[in-house]
Amino acid sequence: FIRCKEDEKQLNNFNISVGLTEDFMRRAENDEPYELLNPRSGKIQGTLPAKKVFDLIVDHAWKSGEPGIVFLDRLNKDNPTPQVGKIESTNPCGEQPLLPYESCNLGSINLGKMVTADGIDYDRIKKIIHLAVRFLDNVIELNNYPMPMIEKMTRANRKIGLGIMGFADLLIKLGIPYDSEEALQIAEEVMKFINDESKVASRQLAKERGAFPNFPNSVFAQRGEPPIRNATTTTIAPTGTISIIAGASSGIEPLFAVCYIRNVLDGTKMVEIHSIFEAVAKRDGFHSKELMDKIAEHSSIKDLDEIPVEARRIFVTAHDISPAWHIRMQAAFQKYTDNAVSKTVNFRHEATRDDVAEVYFLAYRTGCKGVTVYRDGCRSEQVLSTGQPKKTAESKIADEGGLRTAPLPRPELTFGSTRKMKTGCGNLYVTINSNEAGEPFELFSTMGKAGGCAASQAEAISRLISFALRSGANLKEIIKQLKGISCHSIAWSKGGKILSCADAIAKAIEVSTERMPMPQSAPKAMAAAAVGSPTPDIIGTGRQMNKPENLLKGACPDCGGILAYEEGCLHCYACGYSECG
């Protein structure tokens, strides 16, 4: 399971975590073996060295950000209904431990809106807590459930998860650095207030509507506490998309960037500036378009001397903060959260495996229920490979898969056909041209949706394929290298499943070259393909160029913007895309 995502082409549409226990961590720390238990019978089936397994987890987390870890025994210590069942897993982002068939019902208060000239407005927060608890409880009543068992379990325990977003904005407005003892104190103070007051609100609802049905078998009844409407009331969940809509910082994360570039569909680049930073810059007289453009090219302002030291200290970003501070902040919120806390510990690319191991142990020592890490730039991409050059005669190069010392020059005129391929990023139009002998000679691709990372990658693949073909590479080898590569967004067409743009190009080559038209027959092939079909698969012949104007280094599949790895998920601040939906 730990190694299951070594091949980045497999299982790459979701995140994974390994379930650990406090006992395992103690044994890993002391380099002792741990027992392997049969999950069905509970009997001991053998042992493994805990440190060796832990090091394997750390190694893969360093390489790709996965797996994360979750402490299953800690989840069950806070299980409000242990007689109903044992918690064995969480939702995909790790913040909501659930019994079988339970469901997430989460909401977040924007703390950035809860600051006045006198400090944090706890009176307003209290009113919103009571409104939010009632709202989330109403959702349980009004929701349409996909399965009877889900409805039964959800109504039986009535779990809700009220959390926050805009915490970084709150600290900035208070003039408190994120990585400071004062910030940790604020985190505990605010979350304790939300947790306590949400319990008050839930107990008031219980007087109106009754306690959750499993209350008699819950820990609350065992402790002699008054009836409560909801088995849990607080969770710190990811808020990637809703925080963008609200104009707030994400969850309890620090700022991803002070300024960033938003890319619109016509190729225009717009510099988006954090509203509070822009107001401070104008107030203190260091705002300028040139400076904002400069900041947008970086993720941090800490080394920009044009900005006052005080502002640089307050407007810290995710990579400015050491991993230890990330964990300490997560632990501060976990103290007063019923469920768990979704947060990502961001590492710079230069971080070592020991750095990752230290964070995992720190999460264990500080009471976190789980932790997700991400080392900047750790996830590689599939590359196109055509093999090593072979020392063969020129006439045998193409058949044997070798390369010429230099690619053949492109003739003035080539003929071919364009095939429309449906992908998860939109329609991809793949043009394959042949030389005078009717052999595939070059390839062009155009995305129906202009711009973005997908378009730039498709063009890069096409250029490499053309270079490989003109250098004598074997076409079957090119197809073999590209076919089967998958991404987060797949599509279905009448020819089957399209796993990615690379996969679509490979399948377009495979289908098109079965009946590659000779140069002299190209016009006839085009006419035959168009007859009787308003949207044919083969839509034209001839050469087609692809020159998207906004070739960006970002990784967002929708807009090409920079992706931030936060709260166990990839988010795009430029367009709102979220890998987790």
Side-chain angles (χ1 to χ4, degrees):
F1 180 80
I2 297 169
R3 293 190 177 101
C4 72
K5 298 184 75 168
E6 283 181 328
D7 183 353
E8 292 185 13
K9 295 185 292 183
Q10 304 293 327
L11 307 178
N12 54 5
N13 292 329
F14 55 88
N15 301 321
I16 63 169
S17 289
V18 174
L20 304 180
T21 64
E22 293 180 343
D23 179 69
F24 173 87
M25 294 299 289
R26 283 192 294 269
R27 292 175 184 275
E29 201 169 20
N30 298 325
D31 197 9
E32 298 173 352
Y34 73 101
E35 296 173 342
L36 299 175
L37 302 179
N38 187 312
R40 294 177 178 83
S41 66
K43 294 181 179 180
I44 299 174
Q45 299 295 128
T47 63
L48 281 177
K51 187 178 185 304
K52 184 176 180 181
V53 175
F54 178 79
D55 289 344
L56 186 65
I57 295 170
V58 167
D59 181 61
H60 282 72
W62 179 85
K63 288 178 180 176
S64 66
E66 295 187 73
I69 60 174
V70 60
F71 297 108
L72 295 176
D73 49 351
R74 288 180 179 174
L75 301 185
N76 281 288
K77 281 181 182 177
D78 292 333
N79 181 2
T81 56
Q83 295 184 36
V84 177
K86 183 180 178 181
I87 296 174
E88 296 180 343
S89 64
T90 74
N91 69 333
C93 291
E95 82 281 1
Q96 191 67 16
L98 296 169
L99 297 173
Y101 297 103
E102 282 189 314
S103 55
C104 287
N105 184 15
L106 312 177
S108 300
I109 298 173
N110 185 355
L111 290 184
K113 302 292 186 182
M114 305 296 141
V115 184
T116 67
D118 298 323
I120 300 173
D121 189 347
Y122 280 104
D123 289 338
R124 188 180 182 199
I125 294 176
K126 179 179 177 179
K127 292 177 182 178
I128 293 176
I129 291 170
H130 283 254
L131 181 65
V133 169
R134 182 177 291 269
F135 176 86
L136 291 172
D137 190 69
N138 288 346
V139 169
I140 296 172
E141 293 301 308
L142 297 175
N143 188 49
N144 292 319
Y145 296 89
M147 294 175 61
M149 281 298 296
I150 294 176
E151 180 173 9
K152 180 180 178 181
M153 283 295 292
T154 300
R155 290 179 178 272
N157 289 331
R158 306 192 70 83
K159 289 182 179 177
I160 63 173
L162 182 60
I164 64 168
M165 59 182 170
F167 179 67
D169 297 336
L170 173 89
L171 294 178
I172 289 168
K173 288 183 177 182
L174 294 174
I176 300 172
Y178 188 96
D179 49 345
S180 67
E181 295 293 339
E182 192 174 1
L184 297 179
Q185 182 179 345
I186 292 292
E188 292 190 18
E189 178 184 294
V190 169
M191 200 60 215
K192 183 179 187 302
F193 183 83
I194 293 173
N195 196 50
D196 291 346
E197 204 59 44
S198 65
K199 299 294 186 295
V200 173
S202 186
R203 289 194 168 98
Q204 289 177 353
L205 275 181
K207 292 178 181 179
E208 296 178 30
R209 302 174 173 179
F212 65 93
N214 282 331
F215 177 80
N217 295 322
S218 71
V219 295
F220 305 109
Q222 293 171 4
R223 294 194 295 251
E225 296 181 14
I228 193 167
R229 179 68 171 169
N230 312 99
T232 65
T233 61
T234 51
T235 301
I236 303 294
T239 63
T241 303
I242 62 172
S243 62
I244 292 174
I245 295 172
S249 59
S250 181
I252 64 168
E253 299 285 358
L255 298 183
F256 166 67
V258 174
C259 298
Y260 57 90
I261 296 174
R262 183 185 297 276
N263 308 293
V264 295
L265 291 179
D266 63 357
T268 303
K269 296 181 179 180
M270 299 174 61
V271 175
E272 294 286 333
I273 309 168
H274 190 276
S275 59
I276 307 175
F277 177 78
E278 186 174 28
V280 169
K282 290 180 177 178
R283 183 195 68 192
D284 295 348
F286 63 86
H287 182 280
S288 70
K289 183 180 183 303
E290 292 74 22
L291 179 59
M292 299 303 114
D293 289 342
K294 182 178 180 180
I295 296 171
E297 297 297 326
H298 303 79
S299 62
S300 170
I301 63 172
K302 68 174 184 177
D303 297 323
L304 298 181
D305 294 333
E306 305 96 312
I307 300 173
V309 174
E310 183 180 355
R312 282 185 273 165
R313 183 71 186 100
I314 299 300
F315 290 93
V316 291
T317 59
H319 283 127
D320 295 333
I321 298 165
S322 72
W325 277 105
H326 280 281
I327 287 292
R328 293 186 68 190
M329 186 61 73
Q330 180 176 341
F333 276 98
Q334 186 63 76
K335 286 183 182 179
Y336 301 104
T337 302
D338 289 342
N339 295 303
V341 176
S342 178
K343 191 181 183 323
T344 296
V345 178
N346 295 102
F347 286 95
R348 292 187 175 277
H349 182 73
E350 298 76 20
T352 66
R353 291 169 173 82
D354 288 342
D355 295 330
V356 175
E358 183 180 348
V359 159
Y360 279 176
F361 275 117
L362 185 59
Y364 155 64
R365 297 185 187 110
T366 55
C368 294
K369 292 183 178 178
V371 63
T372 301
V373 302
Y374 187 74
R375 184 173 62 91
D376 189 38
C378 66
R379 293 186 180 178
S380 63
E381 293 192 4
Q382 180 71 23
V383 295
L384 177 67
S385 174
T386 56
Q388 295 295 321
K390 296 180 183 292
K391 297 180 180 180
T392 61
E394 182 75 5
S395 61
K396 295 183 180 180
I397 287 179
D399 290 337
E400 296 184 12
L403 299 177
R404 298 183 179 93
T405 55
L408 294 175
R410 187 186 185 280
E412 289 286 332
L413 186 65
T414 61
F415 289 96
S417 62
T418 300
R419 182 172 295 275
K420 182 177 74 173
M421 302 294 292
K422 184 178 180 181
T423 77
C425 299
N427 289 332
L428 180 69
Y429 300 90
V430 182
T431 299
I432 303 173
N433 291 334
S434 59
N435 58 18
E436 294 83 352
E439 299 168 341
F441 189 75
E442 63 185 357
L443 183 143
F444 300 95
S445 62
T446 303
M447 289 296 299
K449 184 190 227 181
C453 189
S456 63
Q457 289 184 357
E459 179 175 1
I461 293 171
S462 301
R463 290 187 180 191
L464 287 173
I465 291 173
S466 296
F467 181 83
L469 289 173
R470 288 164 52 202
S471 299
N474 189 309
L475 193 63
K476 291 182 180 179
E477 283 299 315
I478 293 175
I479 295 171
K480 180 181 177 181
Q481 293 296 327
L482 293 176
K483 193 174 179 181
I485 293 176
S486 62
C487 73
H488 69 285
S489 183
I490 64 174
W492 291 88
S493 69
K494 61 185 179 182
K497 184 162 62 173
I498 303 297
L499 301 175
S500 66
C501 294
D503 186 55
I505 290 174
K507 289 172 180 175
I509 298 172
E510 193 172 45
V511 173
S512 298
T513 53
E514 289 176 359
R515 295 181 179 179
M516 174 63 71
M518 297 293 285
Q520 62 269 27
S521 64
K524 294 181 181 179
M526 176 179 65
V531 172
S533 176
T535 55
D537 287 337
I538 301 178
I539 63 169
T541 62
R543 185 166 60 89
Q544 186 170 335
M545 296 299 294
N546 179 26
K547 295 181 179 180
E549 299 298 326
N550 54 340
L551 299 183
L552 307 172
K553 61 182 180 180
C556 176
D558 281 358
C559 75
I562 298 173
L563 288 177
Y565 196 89
E566 296 178 339
E567 301 161 321
C569 190
L570 289 169
H571 308 288
C572 179
Y573 279 78
C575 71
Y577 164 81
S578 172
E579 184 185 49
C580 300

